[in-house]
Amino acid sequence: CIPGFALYFQPSMLGFLDVPSYSMRWWAEIGLCSLLFIAVECMYALTLLVKPGYVVKENSDEQDGKHCRTCKLGRPKRAHHCSVCGRCVLRMDHHCPFTNCCVGLNNHGFFFLWVVGVWLGSGYGSGISFPAFRRCIWTGYLYGIDKLSASQLEKCVEMGKR
């Protein structure tokens, strides 16, 4: 997960914004980048570390004769058996392949915030890289490399090395 977010939140991408180094906007971008990265990684860790809420004998409640055939426990409403984990989960949403854990009663909020953070990070990374993409690919490729200034051409070459 960390290498993927390093791509989106990479502070060196700020070099393509034509923002003077160490200006107020540069520090604001670095701060936003760092804050978003830390928040997303914390939500990811909490999604993994907080158990989703399993059905055990103490909280098993057989309503309307419903019970899990595999666990042999009474199944409360909205509880489902996860075939991957092999346990019944309270208010199970799904088993997430990205976290390799069930999303249930206790970790659903952390999972939702993690997904929102990934979405915001993807938008942020796209917003930072789109002007460079437009300048290097659109202008350079479609209209000819001679339409780029020397500094723009140098930044395009530098971006191609990454």
Side-chain angles (χ1 to χ4, degrees), residues 11-156:
S12 63
M13 285 295 288
L14 297 176
F16 301 115
L17 287 176
D18 294 327
V19 176
S21 295
Y22 303 107
S23 67
M24 191 58 127
R25 179 173 176 206
W26 190 83
W27 283 110
E29 293 281 350
I30 292 291
L32 176 67
C33 167
S34 302
L35 187 67
L36 194 55
F37 177 77
I38 290 168
V40 167
E41 290 302 316
C42 286
M43 291 303 116
Y44 181 74
L46 287 170
T47 300
L48 292 174
L49 297 175
V50 174
K51 296 186 186 211
Y54 297 113
V55 176
V56 293
K57 285 186 180 184
E58 290 80 30
N59 66 5
S60 67
D61 183 22
E62 191 170 330
Q63 297 176 352
D64 302 328
K66 291 184 180 180
H67 69 280
C68 178
R69 290 181 223 152
T70 308
C71 296
K72 308 289 189 239
L73 293 172
R75 192 171 66 191
K77 290 183 179 179
R78 294 190 63 198
H80 297 282
H81 186 83
C82 177
S83 60
V84 178
C85 294
R87 297 182 78 177
C88 282
V89 179
L90 296 168
R91 269 185 39 198
M92 181 174 176
D93 189 355
H94 68 287
H95 184 92
C96 181
F98 302 108
T99 60
N100 194 29
C101 67
C102 288
V103 178
L105 176 67
N106 296 337
N107 65 352
H108 189 269
F110 300 126
F111 178 78
F112 178 74
L113 290 174
W114 175 65
V115 169
V116 168
V118 168
W119 184 78
L120 288 173
S122 297
Y124 178 72
S126 298
I128 285 179
S129 60
F130 182 74
F133 171 80
R134 187 191 63 201
R135 179 175 53 238
C136 294
I137 303 300
W138 189 262
T139 306
Y141 183 72
L142 293 179
Y143 297 114
I145 201 166
D146 56 329
K147 298 287 184 186
L148 295 172
S149 68
S151 66
Q152 289 176 334
L153 184 59
E154 184 179 327
K155 285 184 180 182
C156 291

